[in-house]
Amino acid sequence: MDLSTFLLMRHEIVLLVVILLLIIGEVFIAESKKSSMVHLAVFLFGIHTLIGFLSIDYGSLFGGMFHTNALIQFLKNVLNIGVLILLLQSGDWLQEKIIRVNRGVEFFILLFSSLLGMYFMISAGDFLMFYLGLELSTLPVAALAAYDITKRISSESGIKLILSAALASGVSLFGISMLYATTGSIYFTEISYVITADNLTVLAFILFFTGLAFKISLVPFHFWTADVYEGAPISIASYLSVISKGAAVFILMILLFTVLKPLMHIWENMVYIIAIVTMFIGNLFALRQQNMKRFLAFSSIAQAGFILLGLITGDQLGTATVVYFLLIYIFSNLAAFGVVQAISLETGKEQMKDYEGLYRTNPNLSLIMMLALFSLAGIPPVAGFFGKFFLFTAAASKGYYLLVFLAVVNVTISLYYYLLVVRAMFLRKSDNAIPYFKSKVYMRLGLLITAIGILVIGIYSPIYDYIYELSRNLL
Amino acid sequence: MIQGISIYEILTVTTVLFFIGVYGFLTRKNLISMLISVELILNASVVNFVVINKYLYPDMLQGAVYAIFIIAVAAAETALAISIIINLYRQINSVEVKDTEVMKH
């Protein structure tokens, strides 16, 4: 046996090495110097991100349980960049609140384990690997959501996340067992040859869909989202809404476009209805939110609805637009959560009315927040517009004009509530506005990268061409 | 394979078990009971995998192996959920769902 074939899993191996090095660091670094753990983790993860860009062979391992291709590598790199920005943004929070009570390393280990689970999930070649990856990516996040053990709402959000996640994965497993009954295999390639749209398979698919719909927080399964985001530490809320959702959308796309392609006439209708309901519920509930974290939670539900517009096409254009939108969404949402985190860390304020008059005191933060919200809403010069525009193009190319029309209506609704925040920051005057403060280096770096990302990705068109080229073959 | 019992009977039992689990999860007012309901759902799928493997596709062991993995993951899930529940209990002295409703709308 040739051990060099294991290098196909280079992303996973390097991340595992990073985790082990952090554990060793925890043992050998003296108590008084524990704050250097944050620097060590950011440094190691930065190296891991850079190594990820080196070229790598494509192929499959373990008899087809694990496979990689160019698009999967690209998505792993995107997730890496997202987590790196997230680490930068939460570095100060970790140093001030978490390292001080000597619980810093567990945070990194749990976060990176969850990322490792996502790697395995998106490279899965059969349902066993997929299930293990799904669980490995969900369980550590539940522990992280309950990480602030002195706060009651943190524990509450943890228990809400773990119970709903367990229910969703249980229902999903029941679906997989039925799929196994009808097709006789758990391998994606073998299933795609024999799958037909009989009644049991359709039921199996609907049950299976639940598990991923829960992770993406599509509408019938979205009830955990707002509560968990509000209670969890902000970096974890941001992780759930960006990284976790991105990975789940990607594997859902692979499954729908390859394995479940013969069922397309069925999942088309499902995705159609769920897209409409998700967009409307997410947007309408976001209108009445006052807490910024809940506000961003409902906004991310609505964004998931828009992503479904790309999924409904089932072809190369759909793949490319979904991946492109995810890339933009990661940058925009991380920027929004980053600003919320910077303000919350400095002042502890998270309500929308606390943001009144922010532009006069903290112009830079307000500008980044404005960029992020414009990008989420889809206002032309920034990247979000192009992401949404391509998604709508993909859906319209298949003749879903009504769906695109409803999506445009929803963009208008979302514009209203995103602009509410912009108005509070720029136009309102307040006597007790948040005073001027200067964030630390890590936070500023994290916000700067997201701002550059939002501005550049939309305008620099070779990125989209590159993604379109990559998305030629999915499995 | 069990003599005299067809796959239909066993699959009926697992389906009933699954729906008892879903019903229990939706109606129980206690966090521990909800956790038990989730375990029922997971166990229904475990039995499903083993039975389908044994009755329909006996030449491969995919279902049986899958079942072992589910049991292991379910144990991890329960351990984590219990530890979070204990932490919550230390703060509010209750494991009732109605006491965990600080955040609403």
Side-chain angles (χ1 to χ4, degrees):
Chain A
M1 192 175 153
D2 188 9
L3 281 179
S4 66
T5 53
F6 280 115
L7 282 179
L8 290 178
M9 309 204 305
R10 197 188 58 206
H11 272 94
E12 287 77 6
I13 292 171
V14 176
L15 188 57
L16 200 61
V17 170
V18 169
I19 295 174
L20 293 177
L21 283 177
L22 284 175
I23 295 177
I24 294 171
E26 163 74 357
V27 176
F28 287 104
I29 291 177
E31 200 74 26
S32 53
K33 291 179 182 165
K34 272 283 155 42
S35 65
S36 58
M37 284 307 292
V38 176
H39 307 301
L40 182 67
V42 171
F43 175 69
L44 286 176
F45 197 82
I47 291 177
H48 165 60
T49 311
L50 287 180
I51 291 176
F53 283 105
L54 299 178
S55 67
I56 189 173
D57 287 339
Y58 309 126
S60 63
L61 278 176
F62 310 126
M65 283 181 82
F66 180 97
H67 74 98
T68 56
N69 60 33
L71 188 62
I72 290 175
Q73 297 294 346
F74 177 75
L75 208 90
K76 282 179 185 169
N77 286 333
V78 171
L79 293 182
N80 277 343
I81 295 171
V83 173
L84 186 63
I85 295 172
L86 200 130
L87 277 182
L88 290 174
Q89 289 178 350
S90 49
D92 305 328
W93 171 71
L94 286 166
Q95 246 162 3
E96 285 177 23
K97 300 271 161 74
I98 300 298
I99 296 284
R100 205 167 279 175
V101 289
N102 200 13
R103 295 193 299 119
V105 185
E106 295 91 327
F107 181 89
F108 296 117
I109 293 169
L110 289 169
L111 192 72
F112 294 162
S113 309
S114 165
L115 185 64
L116 190 66
M118 276 161 208
Y119 287 170
F120 279 117
M121 182 169 76
I122 59 182
S123 325
D126 75 341
F127 275 112
L128 181 55
M129 189 60 104
F130 163 76
Y131 171 67
L132 292 178
L134 185 74
E135 291 297 324
L136 183 55
S137 67
T138 313
L139 295 185
V141 184
L144 285 173
Y147 205 70
D148 232 339
I149 50 171
T150 52
K151 271 195 197 155
R152 175 181 168 173
I153 53 169
S154 184
S155 303
E156 263 181 44
S157 82
I159 193 67
K160 278 171 184 168
L161 179 58
I162 184 90
L163 279 180
S164 357
L167 177 71
S169 71
V171 174
S172 183
L173 265 183
F174 203 73
I176 295 174
S177 76
M178 286 177 175
L179 211 57
Y180 176 52
T182 53
T183 57
S185 173
I186 54 173
Y187 287 93
F188 290 165
T189 41
E190 290 176 22
I191 290 176
S192 62
Y193 294 140
V194 291
I195 193 167
T196 49
D198 51 28
N199 290 341
L200 191 59
T201 314
V202 173
L203 180 62
F205 164 68
I206 291 171
L207 289 178
F208 164 72
F209 189 76
T210 311
L212 279 172
F214 162 81
K215 283 217 80 163
I216 310 173
S217 61
L218 299 176
V219 147
F221 317 103
H222 70 289
F223 294 102
W224 60 279
T225 317
D227 283 3
V228 172
Y229 284 19
E230 189 184 345
I234 299 179
S235 20
I236 302 311
S238 158
Y239 183 82
L240 271 171
S241 89
V242 177
I243 313 293
S244 169
K245 186 175 281 192
V249 166
F250 190 70
I251 185 68
L252 178 66
M253 181 176 72
I254 290 182
L255 289 174
L256 288 182
F257 288 12
T258 58
V259 185
L260 301 165
K261 186 87 174 175
L263 301 181
M264 185 161 175
H265 56 286
I266 291 163
W267 62 252
E268 244 176 6
N269 299 329
M270 257 176 77
V271 170
Y272 190 95
I273 294 166
I274 290 178
I276 293 174
V277 179
T278 307
M279 287 187 293
F280 272 105
I281 301 252
N283 279 324
L284 293 179
F285 275 80
L287 286 176
R288 52 190 287 250
Q289 300 305 326
Q290 289 304 314
N291 182 301
M292 283 306 285
K293 278 153 91 180
R294 286 186 89 85
F295 167 79
L296 285 172
F298 279 106
S299 121
S300 82
I301 294 175
Q303 301 284 338
F306 290 120
I307 293 175
L308 289 186
L309 256 72
L311 285 185
I312 204 168
T313 59
D315 56 7
Q316 187 187 354
L317 182 63
T319 315
T321 51
V322 168
V323 174
Y324 185 64
F325 186 82
L326 279 180
L327 180 65
I328 294 166
Y329 171 75
I330 283 176
F331 279 100
S332 340
N333 228 13
L334 276 177
F337 270 107
V339 175
V340 173
Q341 178 159 25
I343 289 171
S344 170
L345 182 70
E346 202 68 30
T347 62
K349 292 178 177 172
E350 288 172 3
Q351 300 297 318
M352 200 184 284
K353 65 175 186 302
D354 299 328
Y355 283 58
E356 285 174 2
L358 189 69
Y359 179 67
R360 287 190 175 71
T361 53
N362 292 297
N364 293 340
L365 276 182
S366 313
L367 282 173
I368 290 174
M369 189 67 167
M370 187 193 75
L371 266 183
L373 293 176
F374 279 6
S375 181
L376 285 171
I379 291 177
V382 285
F385 167 74
F386 299 98
K388 280 224 172 67
F389 181 71
F390 288 146
L391 276 182
F392 293 173
T393 317
S397 73
K398 291 278 169 173
Y400 292 107
Y401 296 117
L402 181 63
L403 185 61
V404 173
F405 172 71
L406 290 174
V408 173
V409 170
N410 272 292
V411 171
T412 322
I413 301 174
S414 72
L415 198 57
Y416 171 71
Y417 61 77
Y418 287 128
L419 288 182
L420 277 184
V421 182
V422 177
R423 185 184 68 163
M425 288 189 306
F426 284 84
L427 300 179
R428 288 291 177 86
K429 287 184 185 133
S430 172
D431 296 332
N432 50 355
I434 294 167
Y436 174 74
F437 66 88
K438 207 168 162 109
S439 298
K440 302 237 170 52
V441 179
Y442 275 154
M443 175 62 89
R444 284 203 302 227
L445 193 59
L447 289 175
L448 188 68
I449 296 173
T450 55
I452 293 172
I454 293 171
L455 288 174
V456 168
I457 295 172
I459 297 168
Y460 190 63
S461 66
I463 296 177
Y464 177 77
D465 296 335
Y466 178 64
I467 294 173
Y468 189 77
E469 205 53 40
L470 288 181
S471 47
R472 183 161 294 152
N473 46 356
L474 264 179
L475 196 64
Chain B
M1 235 188 277
I2 311 169
Q3 288 299 318
I5 297 180
S6 70
I7 189 170
Y8 296 105
E9 278 123 39
I10 303 177
L11 287 187
T12 311
V13 171
T14 58
T15 311
V16 170
L17 200 60
F18 174 78
F19 282 107
I20 292 174
V22 173
Y23 177 78
F25 187 85
L26 296 178
T27 53
R28 289 281 136 181
K29 298 280 185 266
N30 184 301
L31 291 173
I32 305 284
S33 315
M34 290 170 80
L35 199 59
I36 294 171
S37 309
V38 171
E39 290 300 311
L40 280 186
I41 297 175
L42 289 171
N43 285 340
S45 357
V46 169
V47 178
N48 243 0
F49 269 110
V50 174
V51 164
I52 291 164
N53 192 173
K54 192 74 186 163
Y55 276 77
L56 298 179
Y57 310 105
D59 47 332
M60 296 277 276
L61 277 178
Q62 290 171 344
V65 173
Y66 208 127
I68 293 171
F69 275 99
I70 298 175
I71 294 169
V73 171
E77 217 163 54
T78 316
L80 181 56
I82 290 283
S83 63
I84 296 176
I85 292 175
I86 290 174
N87 189 32
L88 190 63
Y89 181 77
R90 283 193 183 141
Q91 294 169 26
I92 62 175
N93 279 320
S94 158
V95 289
E96 297 296 315
V97 173
K98 67 177 188 324
D99 297 325
T100 64
E101 288 291 323
V102 177
M103 299 173 281
K104 258 185 175 174
H105 312 304

